[in-house]
């Protein structure tokens, strides 16, 4: 991975060492208010955003994006038909509106008037070309290929000059939300070279060097009014470099800052922390296809052993909320009426004794790949010991952890960023899910999910997804102990940016920011 190793290297690339824009610290202390300071938006200036780098694996191909730094760059250059709001509900972007037939097998999207960077207007043919490109079987890196495989390209068509009709292979009531996920941006039908992007985004590419830098300029003809800043720089830097650059006035945005950083800058007038409350999920997964976790009483016992409040206070430094063994707290389709599970060591011990599991040693596989994984695993092992269990924590390679965890250990560390609840269930809890870390495979659950996904009545669909979540809560192998706050940080000069969950419309969105 190629990232800035020291401050001199960072300054050299950003130009700050050679008379770049001077950033004067101003404003109040660290806060979650991205609009502090008020005033009218004004144009001008350069905005420098720092992300964890991915070296030569970085890309500006919007259909192959997989890293946060990729997503920030493609969001600047391209638009999606649909985006997701903070509750994971779909909201219009290039599609001004949409409607479906009665069984949700045909969807019509009305396109807004928008221009590509080459001056050509957006047309239904561009959308159909985009779907064909994503679904190209030769393109093994296109992230949304699986999700959008429900599209029947042969039956999809343009209707007039601004409507695209998308036919589906099966009823899919959540299809608009699928179009707001990773790897779904609309490209021009003239797009043939990822190094020469043809998008409708608020910024137009100037230069890109994988693992190093990205510079884009404002596209004045953007359909949503264009950006305020003249230039956007998206740069790779490690966590320490991001924090140091922000505090020194050498950057305007730092992605995914640590709870420690958030705590240390509380009284710093040069930086504001944007904390999207409880926006991700941290869990310990138990493999339901292995003893002893093939017994739901055992998985329940482990859930009862977790001191969730202590895990949040210690591992997340209080920057989060307790979890309730379901993904998507606060999102659309989350059943808020499920009682919060609390610690009950005696009940857990009774369940474990009944199952004959007491005094066994079980392996919990973890890694430093994500902040808090090792700390949470170690603390939970101590909590499990209160019931007479021995949990052995083993650590693996951060480079291959998420693949290795599928086969190593009876338990593992798990996390997920923001996504819709249906997408989470589809990707991680079906018998065919490639990332089913808890090895939860039940045909009745798969069938219930298929029914929920095809149900067009929203109230009934909500009820069905709630039932699925309750089943996971009661019987599944997910011990979701906490929902960390999503912590980003900005210079006190930045206006127009508020806290937002990852993978949503306002996350890492730089077309509406301006500099005081």
């Amino acid at each position: 991975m190629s990232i800035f190793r020291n401050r001199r290297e960072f300054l050299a690339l950003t130009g700050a060492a050679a008379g770049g824009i001077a950033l004067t610290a101003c404003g109040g202390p660290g806060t979650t208010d991205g609009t502090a300071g008020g005033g009218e938006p004004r144009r001008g200036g350069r905005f420098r955003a720092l992300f964890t780098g991915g070296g030569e694996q970085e890309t500006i191909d919007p259909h192959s994006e997989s890293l946060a730094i990729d997503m920030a760059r493609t969001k600047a250059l391209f638009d999606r038909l649909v985006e997701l709001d903070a509750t994971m509900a779909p909201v219009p972007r290039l599609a001004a509106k949409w409607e479906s037939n009665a069984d949700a097998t045909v969807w019509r999207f009305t396109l807004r008037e928008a221009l590509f960077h080459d001056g050509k207007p957006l047309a239904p043919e561009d959308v159909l070309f985009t779907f064909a490109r994503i679904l190209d079987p030769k393109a093994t890196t296109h992230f949304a290929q699986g999700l959008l495989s429900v599209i029947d390209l042969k039956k999809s068509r343009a209707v007039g000059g601004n409507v695209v009709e998308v036919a589906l292979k099966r009823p899919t009531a959540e299809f608009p939300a699928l179009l707001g996920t990773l790897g779904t941006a609309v490209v021009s039908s003239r797009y043939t070279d990822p190094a020469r992007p043809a998008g409708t985004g608020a910024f137009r590419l100037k230069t890109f060097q994988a693992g190093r830098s990205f510079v884009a300029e404002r596209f004045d003809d953007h359909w949503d009014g264009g950006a305020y800043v003249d230039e956007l720089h998206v740069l790779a830097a490690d966590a320490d470099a991001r924090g140091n650059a922000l505090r020194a006035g050498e950057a305007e945005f730092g992605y995914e800052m640590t709870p420690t950083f958030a705590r240390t800058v509380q009284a710093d007038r040069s930086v504001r922390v944007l904390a999207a409350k409880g926006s991700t999920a941290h869990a310990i997964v138990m493999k339901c296809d292995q003893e002893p976790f093939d017994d739901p009483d055992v998985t329940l016992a482990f859930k009862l052993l977790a001191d969730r409040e202590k895990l949040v206070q210690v591992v997340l430094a209080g920057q989060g909320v307790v979890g309730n063994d379901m993904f998507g707290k606060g999102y659309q389709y989350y059943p808020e009426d499920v009682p919060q599970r609390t610690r009950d060591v005696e009940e857990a011990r009774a369940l474990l004794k009944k199952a004959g599991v007491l005094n066994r040693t079980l392996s919990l596989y973890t890694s430093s790949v994500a902040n808090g994984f090792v700390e949470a695993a170690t603390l939970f092992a101590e909590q499990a010991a209160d019931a007479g269990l021995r949990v052995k924590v083993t650590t693996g390679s951060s480079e291959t952890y998420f693949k290795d965890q599928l086969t190593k250990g009876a338990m593992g560390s798990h996390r997920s960023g923001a996504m819709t609840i249906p997408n989470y269930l589809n990707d991680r809890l079906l018998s065919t899910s490639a990332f089913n870390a808890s090895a939860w495979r039940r045909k009745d659950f798969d069938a219930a999910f298929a029914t929920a996904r095809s149900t067009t009545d929203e109230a009934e669909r909500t009820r069905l997804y709630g039932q699925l979540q309750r089943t996971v809560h009661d019987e599944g192998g997910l011990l979701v102990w906490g929902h960390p706050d999503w912590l980003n940080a900005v210079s006190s000069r930045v206006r127009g940016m508020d806290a937002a969950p990852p993978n949503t419309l306002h996350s890492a969105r730089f077309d509406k920011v301006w500099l005081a």
Side-chain angles (χ1 to χ4, degrees):
M1 182 181 296
S2 175
I3 56 179
F4 299 123
R5 293 173 292 276
N6 55 55
R7 186 166 179 266
R8 176 174 295 179
E9 183 179 354
F10 173 81
L11 292 175
L13 191 56
T14 62
I21 297 174
L23 303 182
T24 304
C26 63
T31 175
T32 60
D33 181 5
T35 59
E40 289 297 318
R42 65 182 182 87
R43 290 186 183 272
R46 172 182 59 183
F47 193 92
R48 294 162 295 186
L50 308 183
F51 290 77
T52 302
E56 295 181 357
Q57 301 303 311
E58 293 174 14
T59 182
I60 53 172
D61 184 334
H63 302 148
S64 298
E65 60 185 2
S66 61
L67 305 170
I69 195 168
D70 297 337
M71 290 180 259
R73 290 165 173 162
T74 57
K75 179 176 279 191
L77 299 174
F78 302 90
D79 292 305
R80 295 177 178 138
L81 286 175
V82 175
E83 285 280 2
L84 301 174
D85 68 12
T87 70
M88 295 291 123
V91 292
R93 288 298 282 170
L94 286 180
K97 62 180 181 178
W98 53 81
E99 59 186 355
S100 75
N101 62 354
D103 64 356
T105 56
V106 178
W107 288 83
R108 282 193 170 189
F109 295 86
T110 301
L111 306 181
R112 66 175 74 252
E113 293 184 5
L115 292 177
F116 286 99
H117 297 157
D118 62 5
K120 302 292 185 181
L122 171 70
E125 288 76 16
D126 299 304
V127 176
L128 295 172
F129 174 87
T130 295
F131 291 153
R133 185 176 190 270
I134 292 170
L135 296 172
D136 182 354
K138 297 178 183 178
T140 59
T141 63
H142 289 178
F143 191 88
Q145 198 168 83
L147 279 179
L148 299 191
S149 62
V150 68
I151 295 175
D152 189 334
L153 278 174
K154 292 182 179 179
K155 296 181 180 179
S156 300
R157 63 192 182 104
V159 180
N162 71 331
V163 175
V164 60
E165 184 176 278
V166 185
L168 306 182
K169 298 174 183 176
R170 61 175 182 270
T172 307
E174 291 296 310
F175 183 64
L178 298 185
L179 299 179
T181 57
L182 187 65
T184 59
V186 174
V187 299
S188 165
S189 59
R190 300 169 296 284
Y191 181 58
T192 57
D193 182 3
R196 303 178 66 184
T200 63
F203 294 92
R204 178 165 41 196
L205 180 68
K206 289 185 71 174
T207 63
F208 168 62
Q209 184 180 1
R212 299 282 290 177
S213 67
F214 164 97
V215 180
E217 62 186 354
R218 180 176 59 240
F219 178 50
D220 288 326
D221 293 325
H222 188 244
W223 61 269
D224 197 23
Y228 292 117
V229 296
D230 295 330
E231 278 192 351
L232 171 65
H233 294 227
V234 178
L235 307 161
D238 65 23
D240 288 341
R242 296 198 296 274
N244 292 338
L246 279 168
R247 301 185 77 172
E250 294 155 2
E252 285 69 62
F253 176 85
Y255 177 83
E256 195 172 15
M257 307 308 290
T258 66
T260 300
F261 176 85
R263 186 170 60 248
T264 58
V265 298
Q266 285 181 353
D268 191 330
R269 297 178 63 84
S270 66
V271 178
R272 291 199 310 274
V273 173
L274 308 180
K277 298 296 183 182
S279 294
T280 57
H282 270 231
I284 292 171
V285 291
M286 299 163 279
K287 295 182 179 176
C288 297
D289 63 347
Q290 293 185 25
E291 292 185 346
F293 299 117
D294 55 351
D295 182 346
D297 280 349
V298 177
T299 59
L300 175 57
F302 273 71
K303 295 170 188 177
L304 291 170
L305 285 175
D307 186 337
R308 300 158 197 266
E309 289 80 6
K310 188 171 183 180
L311 282 161
V312 169
Q313 290 302 316
V314 174
V315 178
L316 305 181
Q319 299 279 342
V321 296
V322 298
N324 197 25
D325 303 329
M326 297 177 290
F327 173 78
K329 189 176 183 67
Y331 296 162
Q332 187 181 35
Y333 305 129
Y334 186 87
E336 299 284 355
D337 59 339
V338 176
Q340 174 63 52
R341 181 166 281 136
T342 57
R343 193 176 199 223
D344 190 334
V345 176
E346 292 307 313
E347 176 65 15
R349 193 196 310 273
L351 290 169
L352 293 169
K353 184 177 181 180
K354 177 183 175 184
V357 179
L358 285 179
N359 301 316
R360 286 184 57 175
T361 299
L362 297 169
S363 173
L364 199 168
Y365 187 67
T366 189
S367 167
S368 60
V369 65
N371 289 330
F373 267 16
V374 175
E375 295 82 357
T378 303
L379 182 54
F380 178 74
E382 295 174 2
Q383 294 173 358
D386 292 343
L389 281 173
R390 291 188 296 272
V391 174
K392 181 182 178 182
V393 176
T394 60
T395 58
S397 167
S398 60
E399 286 79 10
T400 59
Y401 173 77
F402 291 107
K403 178 181 178 181
D404 295 342
Q405 190 269 319
L406 297 175
T407 58
K408 295 183 179 181
M411 294 178 286
S413 298
H414 171 75
R415 85 169 208 174
S416 177
M419 64 176 68
T420 67
I421 286 174
N423 279 3
Y424 184 88
L425 298 176
N426 181 77
D427 291 350
R428 290 166 169 82
L429 289 172
L430 299 184
S431 298
T432 56
S433 298
F435 301 102
N436 193 337
S438 64
W440 168 258
R441 298 182 180 91
R442 283 180 32 176
K443 295 300 182 183
D444 60 334
F445 189 89
D446 298 347
F449 176 79
T451 299
R453 179 173 55 189
S454 62
T455 299
T456 56
D457 181 82
E458 184 172 356
E460 177 63 7
R461 188 167 68 248
T462 299
R463 186 186 70 82
L464 293 173
Y465 279 130
Q467 286 183 343
L468 288 165
Q469 287 278 73
R470 287 178 175 87
T471 300
V472 174
H473 175 270
D474 295 340
E475 304 171 30
L478 282 178
L479 195 174
V480 182
W481 58 263
H483 297 277
D485 297 345
W486 186 244
L487 304 175
N488 297 303
V490 294
S491 159
S492 60
R493 296 183 68 232
V494 172
R495 304 290 184 268
M497 178 171 278
D498 291 312
N503 307 325
T504 61
L505 172 60
H506 294 293
S507 173
R509 184 182 177 190
F510 305 122
D511 61 314
K512 296 304 180 185
V513 301
W514 56 282
L515 302 176

